[in-house]
Amino acid sequence: MMARTKRSRRSYGAGEWGRNRVRVFPDPKTGILQIEWRENGRRLTRSLKHRDWTRAKKQADEFAAGFAGPELDGRKDAVPEPLTLETLFDIYGEEVTPTKGERARRSDVVAMRMFLQFFGRERDPATLSQRDWDRFIRERREGRIGPSRRPVGNRTIEWDLTFLISVLNWAARSRDERGRLLLDRNPLKGLRKPKEKNPTRVVLDEEEYQALLRVSRRINWRFRVALVLAHETGHRIGAVRQLRWPDIDLEAGVVRWRARHEKTGYEHTTPLTDEAVAVLEEARRMSRGTGDAPLLPARKDPSVCVSRSLARDWWVRAEAVAGLEPKRGRGWHSLRRKFATDLMDLPLKVLCELGGWKNAQTVLRCYQKADERQLRKALESRRRVRT
């Protein structure tokens, strides 16, 4: 029995949209490369009979260069090829998705596949409407569409629609090779996305943090380093685990956060606390980090940073060893909320600079949470003002 080839959305385009556009892509079942073009308004495809990606790209370039379109003789303008949702996603996938982080790239691929299946590959994105919007929300919530085919909450649907809106906004600002906008406007602009009424935003408390810290060495020295740095800097675990030694200046006591590892794409430098410096010195002794080596190297390949899944496994094991009862929403990100809450008395601009937030409203809405001690302190200060 022949083994099935893994499905792929990989494709390469050559030529200009509406003129001599050519695309090569693997057959989803066999993996054999196909070449696709339009002729007299019809989409034509034929097999290249091989799986050599470099050779296929060269063939696409040669095919596009020799394509005889109706406008190439200069006698009349060609009628632009209608923009389909599949074409728009192909362009976005070639030009925008590669600029994102690894996790975001995977998410883009899944979302594009889902929307193409739901709306149809030949759908004109300019015709999307409120009815399509409402139908997607309803069927996504009931689990009729999506990669898992299971019911999902408003938060997941909001992420899906945010991606679709981003693509349409980008298309409304982007022009083809002849200066024409891909879309005249975003047809879904202004529509309301569903919101989670009571999102789970757990703030790790000090007692829980100390419990994790006490057992951290029993889990792994890299877990201890990641735990302390996430607590002391307030940054996402994705940014912490991808730090490399050139990002650390122990003499100056600062750390550089690279834009490509930040969700906001914001490169910045923040000071290190004494606790952070101490754990970094410990990490240097353990890893013998030199050159461009990762601060938290993978076990099998020290030139690679630890994976997201391993960091998650460390956290789960540490909770169990520390005797903490499982709590939905308590994870690495609860440390970021703890950072924002602990420093609630700081000016928002200072807090945003320290934690790498670009929007102060996000901090207020999603990260800071006043506890009973802070509420009582505020009331006591009010009484002192009165007296």
Side-chain angles (χ1 to χ4, degrees):
M1 181 178 178
M2 182 180 293
R4 295 187 63 184
T5 304
K6 186 177 180 180
R7 293 178 62 88
S8 173
R9 290 288 301 155
R10 187 184 196 187
S11 68
Y12 173 77
E16 299 180 14
W17 299 105
R19 286 171 54 92
N20 59 338
R21 188 65 174 175
V22 177
R23 186 171 75 100
V24 291
F25 59 93
D27 182 279
K29 292 183 179 179
T30 65
I32 295 176
L33 293 165
Q34 313 288 311
I35 187 165
E36 176 185 273
W37 73 99
R38 281 190 179 269
E39 190 172 304
N40 297 325
R42 294 169 54 208
R43 177 179 292 179
L44 303 177
T45 305
R46 67 178 172 84
S47 173
L48 293 177
K49 302 185 187 304
H50 64 80
R51 294 186 177 88
D52 188 331
W53 188 246
T54 302
R55 179 183 167 193
K57 290 168 68 175
K58 183 179 179 182
Q59 287 177 296
D61 291 333
E62 292 173 348
F63 194 102
F67 190 91
E71 68 186 317
L72 298 183
D73 56 8
R75 289 178 293 184
K76 59 181 180 179
D77 291 333
V79 176
E81 181 181 350
L83 180 71
T84 65
L85 194 61
E86 181 178 31
T87 300
L88 176 57
F89 281 157
D90 281 345
I91 303 172
Y92 188 89
E94 290 176 6
E95 299 182 11
V96 182
T97 297
T99 67
K100 301 181 181 181
E102 180 184 353
R103 186 180 179 187
R105 291 197 301 270
R106 291 198 303 267
S107 178
D108 280 9
V109 171
V110 172
M112 286 189 277
R113 186 182 299 125
M114 176 180 61
F115 282 119
L116 287 176
Q117 182 180 2
F118 184 74
F119 293 125
R121 296 180 181 277
E122 299 299 317
R123 180 67 181 270
D124 181 352
T127 65
L128 294 173
S129 67
Q130 176 83 59
R131 294 179 65 194
D132 297 303
W133 181 271
D134 294 340
R135 186 165 61 94
F136 175 82
I137 293 173
R138 183 172 58 253
E139 298 200 17
R140 183 76 165 108
R141 183 177 287 139
E142 293 174 357
R144 296 178 184 172
I145 56 172
S148 66
R149 292 285 178 172
R150 295 177 181 175
V152 298
N154 285 343
R155 184 62 172 159
T156 299
I157 299 172
E158 182 185 2
W159 287 337
D160 295 336
L161 293 175
T162 296
F163 168 76
L164 181 61
I165 289 293
S166 298
V167 174
L168 296 176
N169 282 338
W170 177 84
R173 298 189 303 268
S174 302
R175 298 181 182 273
D176 62 15
E177 291 81 354
R178 302 188 65 185
R180 297 174 300 214
L181 286 170
L182 297 177
L183 277 179
D184 291 334
R185 64 181 183 85
N186 178 353
L188 302 180
K189 185 177 182 180
L191 298 185
R192 295 183 62 182
K193 291 174 283 190
K195 298 287 185 181
E196 198 74 40
K197 291 183 179 180
N198 297 299
T200 304
R201 291 172 179 153
V202 174
V203 179
L204 193 75
D205 63 38
E206 184 63 25
E207 187 175 322
E208 291 172 326
Y209 171 68
Q210 292 299 331
L212 292 171
L213 189 61
R214 283 193 294 271
V215 302
S216 58
R217 283 196 176 91
R218 293 166 59 186
I219 305 302
N220 191 286
W221 69 265
R222 294 169 296 172
F223 171 70
R224 179 178 177 81
V225 173
L227 180 69
V228 173
L229 286 181
H231 179 267
E232 296 299 315
T233 67
H235 280 68
R236 296 177 178 84
I237 184 58
V240 170
R241 68 180 178 80
Q242 295 185 87
L243 285 171
R244 291 181 175 268
W245 284 110
D247 300 324
I248 309 294
D249 187 340
L250 289 176
E251 292 186 5
V254 296
V255 55
R256 177 185 60 159
W257 304 97
R258 303 191 193 194
R260 66 176 179 272
H261 300 149
E262 287 288 307
K263 183 179 178 181
T264 57
Y266 171 47
E267 182 158 323
H268 56 291
T269 300
T270 59
L272 293 166
T273 62
D274 292 342
E275 291 82 357
V277 170
V279 83
L280 284 169
E281 290 174 343
E282 180 180 340
R284 175 152 281 176
R285 291 193 299 271
M286 296 295 295
S287 67
R288 300 176 184 177
T290 57
D292 194 44
L295 182 69
L296 303 173
R299 184 173 59 85
K300 292 184 178 179
D301 185 355
S303 67
V304 177
C305 301
V306 296
S307 66
R308 177 170 167 263
S309 60
L310 181 57
R312 183 178 61 245
D313 291 345
W314 282 341
W315 184 278
V316 173
R317 286 167 51 201
E319 282 187 327
V321 174
L324 299 179
E325 292 186 8
K327 181 189 295 184
R328 182 172 178 264
R330 186 209 286 136
W332 286 103
H333 217 62
S334 64
L335 279 168
R336 187 161 165 81
R337 297 190 191 97
K338 182 179 188 299
F339 183 85
T341 301
D342 288 348
L343 302 181
M344 191 178 291
D345 294 337
L346 286 181
L348 270 175
K349 184 173 180 61
V350 175
L351 178 58
C352 288
E353 286 293 325
L354 286 174
W357 287 283
K358 292 184 73 174
N359 189 336
Q361 291 302 316
T362 301
V363 178
L364 291 172
R365 186 177 66 253
C366 304
Y367 287 91
Q368 290 185 331
K369 182 178 179 181
D371 58 23
E372 183 179 350
R373 177 187 60 80
Q374 291 167 319
L375 295 176
R376 290 187 180 279
K377 181 179 177 181
L379 290 175
E380 288 296 329
S381 64
R382 185 186 183 203
R383 293 191 185 96
R384 287 195 296 270
V385 170
R386 284 181 173 178
T387 57

